[in-house]
Amino acid sequence: MSRGLRVWQDMEKEQETLRAWKDRVARELDRVVAFWLDHSHDQEQGCAPCPSGGLGLGSSLLWSPRTSLWAGCHLWGAASAPIPLHPPTPDLANSANASVSHRGFFTCLGRDGQVYDDLKYVWLQGRQVWMYCRLYRQFERFRRPELLNAAKAGGEFLLRYAQVAPPAKKCAFVLTRDGRPVKVQRTIFSECFYTMAMNELWRVTGDARYQNEAMEMMDQIVSWVREDPSGLGRPQLPGAPASESMAVPMMLLNLVEQLGEADEELAGISAELGDWCAQRILQHVQRGGQAVLENVSEDGEELSGCLGRHQNPGHALEAGWFLLRYAIQRGDAKLRAHVIDKFLLLPFHSGWDPEHGGLFYFQDADGLCPTQLEWAMKLWWPHSEAMIAFLMGYSETGDPALLRIFYQVAEYTFHRFRDPEYGEWFGYLNRDGKVALTIKGGPFKGCFHVPRCLAMCEEMLNNLLSRLAPASALSTRSPPAGPARPGAE
C-alpha cells in the first residue's frame, strides 16, 4: 500500500470518527436540554411585589455613562446593542406586578427530575439563564420561544430578588422559592453568573436593562477583586495567609471574554483586565513548572501546608481552555504551547486515575492524602471541562495526542456519568466509577457544565469536519499524494 493511500484512508477514518462523535454529542445535548425544560421550571403563577429599591420588571433605570472601574474609561451600557433575535415579551417587560409564568428554576432534582428541595441558588439561576440564551443564539434548533421565554422569566426573577439589599450589589447565594434571601457567600461567584446571564439576555433580546445590569455588576466585581474586598463581608484575620484562589482570575477572564464578544471597542477597553487575569492564572504554575496549585500567595509564591499543596485537576483544565482561548485571540503561539503543556497535559497525566480511570477531584502536590473526604471521587464537571480543553487544543494544533485524550475522556464520561434511562448526567461517582449520588441537580450542579460542554464540543466538531471536507472532496477523485494533518493551521 502506498504512503499516500494510507494517509487518505487514515483521513477518512478520522473523519468518520469525528462525525460519529458529533452526532453522539448533538443527540446528548438535545436529551440534556429536554430534561431541564421538562423538570426545572417553576410554573407557579404570580410574583410578590418587587422589594423596595429593587429594579423590578418595569423599571426604567438605565446604566448611565460614568467612569468604569474595570475598563478605566467611560462606557455606555447600550452601545453597539445587538439586533434582538426575539422581540421583548410584553408581560415580562411592562409591569412590575405582572404575572410571571416561571419563578426561576428548580435545581434540586432527583434522578427522574422530581424536585426534592425548592430552594433556589442564585449562581445556578444565572447559569441556566446564560445557557438557555446561548443555545437560543447559537443553535438554530434551539431557537424556540419556550426556551427564550424561560430565560427571560429567569432573568426577571434575578432582577427582582438576587440582590440582598438594593442598591447594594451583593447577591444572595440561596433564595427561597419566592425570592427571599437565605444565605450569602463571601465570594464573587453569584455576582459573576448574574453578570453572564444579564449580558446574554441583552444579546438575544436587545433590552438595554439587562446590559445596564451586567456592566454595573461587572464594575462592582472588579472593585471587590482589585480595590476593596470589604463589601464581600469577609473579615481580614491576622492569622490568615494573603492568598489567591485560581478561581477568581479565571472567573474574571471568562467575564472579560463574555462581555467583549463581538464588541471590538469593549474588548479593546478591557484588554488590560484580561492581561491581568491571565498573568494571575499563570502564576499558579509552580515547582519549576511541574505543578498547577489551586492557591498561591498574592505575589505568586507557593503557600505552606495543605492550602498550598491543594490541586484541583478539573479547575486547571478549565483554566487551560480559558487561557487557550485568550492566547488564540491574541495570536500568541508561544503562550498557546505553554498552556497546552502546563494546563492541559500536566493536570491530566497527574490527575487521571491509573487504576479505575477518570479524574481525581482533589490531589496533594506532595502525594500526601488530601484532607477532603471527596478527594478520590469522580465528578461530572472536571470531565466536562477536560472534553472542552482537549478538543479545543486539537482544533488549534492538529496534535493527534490531544484528540486521543479527548476520545479517552469522552468515552469514560459518556459511559459513567450519562443516565440512559432518565436523561442528564449523574454528578457524583465513587472512585471506581459507580454512582454515589443519584441526584441530577443540587446546590452546585445545575443546567450549565454538561450542556455547555456538549454545545461547545458540537460546535468544535462541526468546525473540524468543515475543515476536513475540502480534503475529503478531493480524495473522492484520487488519494492524496502526501500526508495531510487534519486540524493543522
Side-chain angles (χ1 to χ4, degrees):
M1 182 185 297
S2 69
R3 181 167 176 262
L5 182 58
R6 285 198 304 271
V7 170
W8 172 69
Q9 290 178 337
D10 289 345
M11 183 186 302
E12 288 291 304
K13 183 178 180 180
E14 179 176 319
Q15 196 168 1
E16 290 175 7
T17 305
L18 289 171
R19 186 177 295 107
W21 267 107
K22 191 267 289 186
D23 294 342
R24 190 176 180 184
V25 164
R27 289 194 302 271
E28 187 63 16
L29 178 59
D30 291 348
R31 293 180 76 250
V32 167
V33 173
F35 181 91
W36 292 99
L37 284 171
D38 289 344
H39 302 297
S40 70
H41 298 179
D42 188 347
Q43 302 286 348
E44 182 176 323
Q45 295 290 327
C47 279
C50 184
S52 176
L55 195 64
L57 296 180
S59 172
S60 59
L61 295 175
L62 294 177
W63 185 71
S64 59
R66 58 187 176 79
T67 301
S68 171
L69 295 171
W70 64 283
C73 76
H74 292 292
L75 297 177
W76 291 83
S80 61
I83 299 173
L85 297 174
H86 195 279
T89 303
D91 68 336
L92 292 179
N94 293 335
S95 171
N97 296 315
S99 175
V100 179
S101 59
H102 305 288
R103 282 179 154 184
F105 308 105
F106 298 121
T107 59
C108 294
L109 305 178
R111 182 184 180 188
D112 61 358
Q114 181 179 355
V115 177
Y116 64 84
D117 197 322
D118 63 7
L119 290 175
K120 294 175 179 175
Y121 296 83
V122 169
W123 68 332
L124 298 185
Q125 303 292 309
R127 286 172 167 184
Q128 191 157 347
V129 170
W130 179 89
M131 193 71 248
Y132 278 6
C133 291
R134 182 58 66 101
L135 290 170
Y136 184 90
R137 184 160 67 92
Q138 295 190 339
F139 291 82
E140 185 65 33
R141 70 182 187 274
F142 289 119
R143 198 161 292 174
R144 308 188 330 238
E146 63 267 27
L147 203 68
L148 181 60
N149 288 336
K152 289 193 288 187
E156 296 296 337
F157 181 84
L158 286 171
L159 286 176
R160 281 176 172 267
Y161 302 117
Q163 295 170 37
V164 176
K169 291 296 184 182
K170 193 73 190 83
C171 291
F173 178 65
V174 189
L175 301 170
T176 61
R177 182 180 184 181
D178 58 1
R180 289 169 292 135
V182 174
K183 179 181 178 181
V184 175
Q185 279 193 334
R186 298 167 180 176
T187 66
I188 63 170
F189 302 114
S190 290
E191 294 77 12
C192 287
F193 289 105
Y194 179 97
T195 302
M196 288 174 62
M198 294 299 141
N199 181 256
E200 272 296 323
L201 274 169
W202 169 66
R203 292 180 185 277
V204 297
T205 67
D207 189 336
R209 294 177 308 135
Y210 298 131
Q211 180 70 339
N212 297 334
E213 276 295 298
M215 301 302 289
E216 288 274 7
M217 188 63 82
M218 183 66 175
D219 276 354
Q220 180 61 81
I221 293 167
V222 175
S223 176
W224 283 331
V225 172
R226 299 186 71 176
E227 295 183 358
D228 180 12
S230 62
L232 295 173
R234 189 166 53 238
Q236 300 296 312
L237 301 176
S243 63
E244 176 184 83
S245 165
M246 190 163 61
V248 172
M250 277 177 60
M251 196 66 236
L252 278 183
L253 183 59
N254 192 42
L255 287 177
V256 168
E257 194 277 336
Q258 169 74 36
L259 296 176
E261 182 191 345
D263 189 331
E264 292 184 6
E265 181 182 2
L266 188 55
I269 290 168
S270 61
E272 183 275 332
L273 177 59
D275 295 342
W276 180 86
C277 293
Q279 291 305 313
R280 302 292 284 198
I281 299 170
L282 289 166
Q283 71 182 9
H284 286 260
V285 179
Q286 295 285 324
R287 302 191 175 193
Q290 297 306 303
V292 179
L293 302 180
E294 187 70 11
N295 305 291
V296 296
S297 69
E298 289 187 342
D299 57 356
E301 300 297 326
E302 183 173 344
L303 298 166
S304 62
C306 295
L307 180 68
R309 299 194 307 271
H310 180 56
Q311 292 182 289
N312 184 333
H315 232 180
L317 288 160
E318 185 178 18
W321 71 259
F322 287 5
L323 285 172
L324 188 56
R325 193 165 54 181
Y326 168 86
I328 293 164
Q329 290 170 350
R330 283 153 182 75
D332 192 334
K334 183 178 179 181
L335 176 60
R336 184 183 70 177
H338 177 75
V339 168
I340 289 173
D341 183 38
K342 303 304 181 186
F343 285 87
L344 271 64
L345 294 172
L346 180 62
F348 174 78
H349 289 305
S350 64
W352 190 261
D353 184 346
E355 183 177 353
H356 297 285
L359 291 163
F360 288 116
Y361 194 34
F362 296 133
Q363 291 182 292
D364 183 286
D366 285 344
L368 302 175
C369 180
T371 58
Q372 296 88 354
L373 299 180
E374 71 274 27
W375 73 269
M377 293 181 71
K378 314 295 169 59
L379 271 67
W380 84 105
W381 70 262
H383 296 79
S384 300
E385 303 309 316
M387 286 175 61
I388 296 171
F390 284 105
L391 190 56
M392 187 180 294
Y394 173 72
S395 297
E396 294 301 323
T397 67
D399 184 349
L402 301 178
L403 184 61
R404 286 194 295 270
I405 296 175
F406 165 76
Y407 289 148
Q408 179 181 346
V409 176
E411 286 288 1
Y412 177 90
T413 302
F414 270 64
H415 177 61
R416 295 293 186 178
F417 289 99
R418 181 178 180 271
D419 183 357
E421 184 173 355
Y422 290 102
E424 241 286 345
W425 292 5
F426 299 112
Y428 304 88
L429 311 180
N430 292 317
R431 181 180 177 182
D432 62 5
K434 295 179 181 178
V435 175
L437 302 178
T438 61
I439 59 172
K440 296 295 176 54
F444 303 99
K445 184 178 186 294
C447 181
F448 183 64
H449 285 102
V450 176
R452 180 178 72 168
C453 164
L454 295 170
M456 290 184 68
C457 287
E458 182 180 341
E459 288 185 310
M460 287 188 283
L461 289 164
N462 265 326
N463 291 336
L464 281 168
L465 288 165
S466 296
R467 281 153 47 179
L468 287 171
S472 177
L474 288 173
S475 71
T476 60
R477 294 195 295 270
S478 61
R485 189 174 73 175
E489 293 183 334

